[in-house]
Amino acid sequence: MDRLKQLGDVAEIMLDYVENKKTFQTDKPLRVPSSSYTDKDQFNAEIELVFKRTPLMLAFTAELPNPGDYKAMEAVGMPVLINRDKQGKVRAFLNVCSHRGAPVAEGKGNCTRFTCKYHSWTFGSDGKLIGISEANTFGDVDKSQMGLRELPCEERAGMIFVCLTPNAPMNLDTYFRGYLEDFEALDFANWTYLGNRTIEGANWKIAFDGYLEGYHFKSLHPETIFPRTPSNTMHYEGFGPNMRIGFPQHTIAEQLKDVPREKWGECENEGYDFVRIFFPNVSVFIAPEITQVAQLFPGPTPDKNRTVLNYLRREPVKDEADREAVEAAMNFFRDVTYQEDYVIGMEIQKGLESGAHDEIVFGRNERGNQYFHEWLNWYLEDDPSTPEPTM
């Protein structure tokens, strides 16, 4: 289906939701064991069967626009190095020297080679070992077999996806089922990366659950989100395990009334908004002023997560006053996310660990949460013959 027609159809559905006080509903509630958020064995299984097997969106084209650009980071305890080589190809490696295991890069920067700070072994932008310090005393080694361990990596639609298991299969078309066309249409590859903020919270699924529904907007966000967006009014679309969640604005009828019906698909942020979800751990909210992309990383223990809030927009920073406004916007989004969502998430963590209830329940109106947990369980079963969840 044509993308804009599909978005226009969703806008029409959301208009009906607001006018008739309805929301997307499925056939029944879903119960999830409280231990899903506390159990160490499940936590370890999630790392091995989900985070180390699925394509993770770890960086943006806008972060590494030039040959030689690199970014060193940690993802679920794994040291990762992403770089753009001399030919402009993006690559990913385990950031681990083949000599004694030290990192070969830190932070972000631009270089043509990586040198381990421990013993100065040097690797090219293609990961190959090109230099051993004081090689005449080290002894014979086959440098061709001692490069950095490469990870499956692909750049698409302005984002860089990595699988944390070397040599694992990674097919983005199969995984996203056409969803990345959304970001290609948004010209995401040419946006400006503004910076990031890091926050910490409870179990990664407690935090992620909050991105998947608007049932809580009126009670938890009465002064920040609710003035723009009605509570308990959501529309869900599934693209494999990924989702596009539609949130109409209170003013959707007024904003669309003078727009021709065939143009409704062009009105994102002008009557309705979307939160775009990449399973298992990314939430993208494109707002008029600035876009927030949250990357949730589990750990280091089951009761904790580390979330990197990335910020982008279409236009580059114009001047110092604009930079100050950007910094203020990033701080505002971070503060709302942490103070209003993550703080209560840590209280939920304590509640679930108390043993007060064996299960929690997601209502018929919380289909996004249900769909996420159904897909999580599908991966944890590790049986491809099991039918995939459907929206």
Side-chain angles (χ1 to χ4, degrees):
M1 180 184 293
D2 175 78
R3 172 182 175 271
L4 290 179
K5 182 183 184 306
Q6 188 174 10
L7 297 185
D9 290 346
V10 171
E12 185 171 25
I13 292 169
M14 292 191 289
L15 174 61
D16 177 61
Y17 287 168
V18 172
E19 292 184 330
N20 295 289
K21 299 188 184 306
K22 299 193 299 186
T23 190
F24 189 107
Q25 287 185 284
T26 188
D27 57 344
K28 62 181 182 299
L30 174 72
R31 295 186 176 275
V32 173
S34 299
S35 60
S36 173
Y37 300 89
T38 62
D39 184 74
K40 186 174 182 179
D41 290 338
Q42 174 161 340
F43 174 80
N44 291 335
E46 290 164 356
I47 301 299
E48 295 301 321
L49 298 177
V50 179
F51 279 85
K52 290 186 179 180
R53 293 194 184 182
T54 59
L56 300 181
M57 197 287 290
L58 294 186
F60 303 90
T61 297
E63 284 185 279
L64 294 86
N66 304 309
D69 287 347
Y70 71 88
K71 171 184 177 179
M73 63 179 297
E74 181 179 300
V76 292
M78 303 281 284
V80 177
L81 171 61
I82 303 169
N83 80 299
R84 192 178 297 279
D85 67 18
K86 296 177 182 178
Q87 288 71 43
K89 176 182 172 60
V90 168
R91 298 174 179 271
F93 306 93
L94 290 173
N95 186 15
V96 180
C97 180
S98 57
H99 172 216
R100 297 269 292 277
V104 301
E106 296 176 346
K108 295 182 178 182
N110 183 286
C111 65
T112 58
R113 57 186 61 188
F114 300 100
T115 301
C116 174
K117 65 182 180 181
Y118 196 8
H119 295 93
S120 296
W121 280 35
T122 304
F123 301 83
S125 61
D126 58 2
K128 293 180 179 178
L129 176 62
I130 57 176
I132 297 174
S133 61
E134 302 184 60
N136 61 322
T137 63
F138 190 84
D140 293 335
V141 295
D142 184 353
K143 289 195 292 188
S144 68
Q145 300 299 311
M146 296 191 70
L148 299 176
R149 195 74 184 273
E150 193 156 8
L151 297 170
C153 176
E154 187 172 346
E155 183 176 24
R156 289 278 290 277
M159 295 167 288
I160 297 166
F161 298 90
V162 177
C163 180
L164 295 179
T165 300
N167 301 315
M170 189 176 77
N171 188 318
L172 297 186
D173 292 324
T174 299
Y175 191 73
F176 285 104
R177 320 279 172 98
Y179 194 18
L180 294 182
E181 295 173 6
D182 217 5
F183 292 86
E184 291 167 353
L186 292 167
D187 196 29
F188 211 53
N190 291 310
W191 287 28
T192 297
Y193 187 79
L194 301 170
N196 63 64
R197 302 288 187 268
T198 299
I199 58 177
E200 296 179 350
N203 177 274
W204 71 279
K205 299 188 299 296
I206 289 176
F208 207 51
D209 279 334
Y211 293 90
L212 305 179
E213 47 87 3
Y215 185 32
H216 67 281
F217 285 175
K218 185 176 182 179
S219 53
L220 195 63
H221 305 296
E223 298 178 359
T224 50
I225 298 177
F226 181 65
R228 175 188 180 93
T229 308
S231 206
N232 196 30
T233 313
M234 307 83 71
H235 187 73
Y236 295 101
E237 302 167 87
F239 302 82
N242 313 285
M243 284 182 276
R244 185 167 57 205
I245 309 174
F247 293 97
Q249 297 170 15
H250 289 287
T251 58
I252 184 172
E254 179 183 344
Q255 297 208 58
L256 294 182
K257 69 178 182 179
D258 295 325
V259 179
R261 172 60 182 81
E262 64 271 17
K263 298 288 188 180
W264 285 11
E266 302 174 14
C267 295
E268 182 172 355
N269 298 143
E270 298 175 359
Y272 59 86
D273 303 294
F274 289 111
V275 169
R276 293 167 169 87
I277 299 295
F278 292 166
F279 183 90
N281 70 324
V282 170
S283 169
V284 181
F285 175 49
I286 297 174
E289 310 83 9
I290 197 170
T291 288
Q292 175 174 285
V293 182
Q295 299 167 295
L296 285 76
F297 296 104
T301 53
D303 60 332
K304 299 186 186 307
N305 89 85
R306 177 177 60 90
T307 297
V308 180
L309 302 172
N310 301 274
Y311 297 96
L312 303 93
R313 72 177 189 189
R314 289 176 172 86
E315 305 82 13
V317 176
K318 297 188 290 287
D319 50 35
E320 189 58 34
D322 189 25
R323 167 53 66 183
E324 291 180 7
V326 163
E327 294 292 329
M330 291 193 290
N331 290 338
F332 172 78
F333 272 84
R334 175 203 58 196
D335 292 346
V336 169
T337 304
Y338 181 76
Q339 295 170 6
E340 298 185 8
D341 289 289
Y342 278 50
V343 167
I344 197 169
M346 290 183 280
E347 294 172 349
I348 291 170
Q349 184 75 49
K350 292 178 182 178
L352 297 179
E353 290 174 350
S354 75
H357 305 287
D358 293 335
E359 298 174 316
I360 64 170
V361 59
F362 294 106
R364 294 176 58 204
N365 58 329
E366 297 178 294
R367 181 57 188 149
N369 302 83
Q370 294 188 11
Y371 194 67
F372 165 73
H373 284 273
E374 289 167 2
W375 271 101
L376 179 66
N377 290 337
W378 186 86
Y379 276 98
L380 294 176
E381 287 178 11
D382 197 23
D383 181 3
S385 67
T386 302
E388 295 180 348
T390 58
M391 185 61 76

